Structures are given as structure tokens and as C-alpha cells.
Amino acid sequence: MGYVLYPEVFDISQYHAITLASADDGLLRLRAKANDGGALLARDVSALAIDTRSVPGLFQPSIVQINITPPAAQTYAAALSSGVALGCIDCSRCAHPHLDLGDFALHPHRRHLCGHCGYDAVHGASACVSTPLQRLRDYALRKPEHIKQWF
């Protein structure tokens, strides 16, 4: 098991034409064009922190960043390609978005255990695989001029 301390923080409001992909070497591949006409940002990172403060309403106000790791990206890509129902369930106790990993990321379900506070009675309106990456992707689809694709 590995940990990444102080992952690079990425402010999505400063860039457009963003692509985030899971690379074969286990890294996250980030490509983005700066809004001010700057050069292409190209990073291959072990983990990435998405600054969510610049996009009000995307997550609860207490959530200031979403950390993306290769396992989260890989399981999200697998769920996306398999066509399972995806969503993002927020904990009814602490408001943190739930992240399904492993087998939980392949089989939609209604009951989710909060990885932040441990509350085990978080229920979705319908069965889904929950991941904050889906909420970022939904945002991208609503703002096609801003973000091209997440995975």
C-alpha cells in the first residue's frame, strides 16, 4: 500500500480543454490548456488534488478538494466502460462524497459506507456506483467549453 503526501493541487477554473486519464504505468495523466492562453500543462502524477472551491455548488462548501489516486481512476474507468449506473452520493452525516473501490465499483448498490466518518446508513435514491469523479465528469459535460473529458 502506498501513500502520496501533498499531491499536486489542480484548480480546474484556471484551465480548459482538460483531459485526465489513467495511464498504463499506474500514473494519472493530466493535460490542460491555461485559460490565459498559456502553454499546455502536461503532468504524469501519482495522485492529484482537485481544488473544488472555484466551482461553487459542485460539492458541499466544506469540501475544498477531491483527491484522485490511481486506484480511484482505474476503478472509475472500469465502471464507466462496463456501463454500470454511476453517481456521487454524499454522506448524510458529514457531507463528504462517497468513493466506491474494488468490487464495489463494479456493482451498483444503494447502501454506502462513508469512508470519511464511517457512517454506514448512507442510502442513494437508486442503486449506483458512487464516485466524486462522476460529479466532475457531469460538470464537464455541462461545461463542454471548459473541460473536454475526464477519462
Side-chain angles (χ1 to χ4, degrees):
M1 183 182 245
Y3 297 92
V4 176
L5 297 176
Y6 312 111
E8 182 171 342
V9 178
F10 182 68
D11 181 355
I12 60 176
S13 70
Q14 301 300 311
Y15 296 89
H16 67 279
I18 299 169
T19 301
L20 181 64
S22 182
D24 291 337
D25 58 6
L27 296 175
L28 297 174
R29 184 152 292 128
L30 172 69
R31 305 291 182 261
K33 183 83 170 146
N35 288 338
D36 63 6
L40 178 69
L41 171 73
R43 299 271 194 284
D44 291 346
V45 296
S46 299
L48 185 66
I50 304 291
D51 185 340
T52 61
R53 293 172 294 185
S54 62
V55 187
L58 193 59
F59 295 98
Q60 299 293 331
S62 63
I63 310 300
V64 297
Q65 72 182 38
I66 296 296
N67 297 322
I68 301 172
T69 61
Q74 291 161 355
T75 55
Y76 178 67
L80 193 62
S81 68
S82 70
V84 300
L86 290 162
C88 183
I89 306 296
D90 293 329
C91 177
S92 56
R93 182 178 284 168
C94 72
H96 276 74
H98 178 68
L99 172 64
D100 283 319
L101 292 172
D103 287 343
F104 291 104
L106 298 175
H107 305 286
H109 49 282
R110 285 195 60 224
R111 186 174 179 176
H112 301 270
L113 170 69
C114 181
H116 183 73
C117 74
Y119 189 55
D120 69 351
V122 179
H123 291 88
S126 60
C128 73
V129 169
S130 179
T131 171
L133 292 170
Q134 182 61 33
R135 194 166 293 158
L136 288 166
R137 187 167 194 263
D138 289 344
Y139 170 76
L141 294 173
R142 287 191 312 270
K143 304 279 189 178
E145 74 283 355
H146 184 67
I147 300 175
K148 294 282 187 188
Q149 97 185 43
W150 292 90
F151 298 96

